[in-house]
Amino acid sequence: MVGTKSSNSATQKFLLKSEPQEFSIADLKKCHHGEDWTGVRNYEARNILKEMKIGDECFFYHSSCKPAGIVGVCRVIEEAKADLTALDPKDECYDPKSARDKVRWCSVKVEFVREFKEILSLQEIKNAAKENENPILTEMALLKRSRLSVSKVTNEQWDYIFDLINEKELL
């Protein structure tokens, strides 16, 4: 079953952050043919986008809101390609150093998989990491590199987060 605990170790896992007032999990749910994940303007995050393959799953994270946290799952349906918002001077993600033949930024296309009944807040993830100094979560990029908008998630972290979500949704 997609959007659940990791059953396929060949499938990579990631976390994508979005400000819900700009683009939320509800917005993605309305996109029947998926949506390009554009606007990433950090080289490390861009390089992670380039690693994504069709079928890889991502936690969808609402950032810059209260509470911030994981709200659902999406899946990669198109691998990295040029992010054309970099070429549009009217777009807030315009990059004057990009050219049509050499766009410095990329995007992937993702589709909605699942929305959780409740948000798993950043504070809940931090609390779980502190309990017994949990090494699975303390090494999670979300906690170590909090400004990164695209990050990798290990299968162990994916499964642990799903345990937290399932526990919360059963209460």
Side-chain angles (χ1 to χ4, degrees):
M1 182 175 172
V2 293
T4 60
K5 287 180 80 167
S6 180
S7 60
N8 182 354
S9 61
T11 304
Q12 300 178 98
K13 309 295 184 192
F14 299 91
L15 182 139
L16 300 172
K17 290 183 180 180
S18 181
E19 296 176 4
Q21 66 274 19
E22 298 294 324
F23 190 76
S24 70
I25 189 83
D27 295 325
L28 181 61
K29 190 174 186 176
K30 295 175 191 172
C31 299
H32 300 292
H33 302 290
E35 182 72 14
D36 288 329
W37 199 266
T38 61
V40 173
R41 298 297 183 264
N42 170 287
Y43 287 107
E44 184 177 358
R46 178 205 61 190
N47 292 341
I48 294 169
L49 285 175
K50 287 181 175 182
E51 293 179 29
M52 292 182 176
K53 303 293 180 211
I54 293 172
D56 288 347
E57 288 186 314
C58 310
F59 283 127
F60 195 113
Y61 182 96
H62 281 174
S63 64
S64 300
C65 59
K66 295 208 188 272
I70 297 173
V71 295
V73 175
C74 60
R75 180 186 315 107
V76 176
I77 58 172
E78 286 182 18
E79 295 179 12
K81 59 186 178 253
D83 179 350
L84 299 180
T85 63
L87 301 175
D88 182 359
K90 294 177 185 159
D91 194 287
E92 66 184 58
C93 296
Y94 173 65
D95 177 13
K97 294 182 180 176
S98 284
R100 181 131 328 256
D101 61 337
K102 188 153 174 85
V103 179
R104 298 187 322 158
W105 307 105
C106 66
S107 66
V108 296
K109 185 175 263 190
V110 297
E111 69 179 357
F112 175 84
V113 172
R114 176 180 175 191
E115 182 175 5
F116 300 134
K117 292 177 188 170
E118 290 187 51
I119 186 171
L120 180 64
S121 74
L122 176 59
Q123 190 58 54
E124 290 171 307
I125 297 167
K126 286 179 176 180
N127 291 346
K130 284 181 188 173
E131 290 175 14
N132 303 315
E133 296 179 6
N134 185 319
I136 293 171
L137 293 184
T138 56
E139 293 302 311
M140 194 169 182
L142 174 65
L143 301 182
K144 292 184 86 167
R145 307 280 319 275
S146 62
R147 302 281 300 149
L148 205 55
S149 64
V150 179
S151 59
K152 296 179 185 181
V153 175
T154 67
N155 285 333
E156 293 80 16
Q157 292 164 345
W158 184 269
D159 289 347
Y160 198 96
I161 293 292
F162 259 101
D163 286 343
L164 294 174
I165 291 163
N166 288 334
E167 185 177 299
K168 187 173 182 173
E169 289 186 347
L170 291 175
L171 295 178

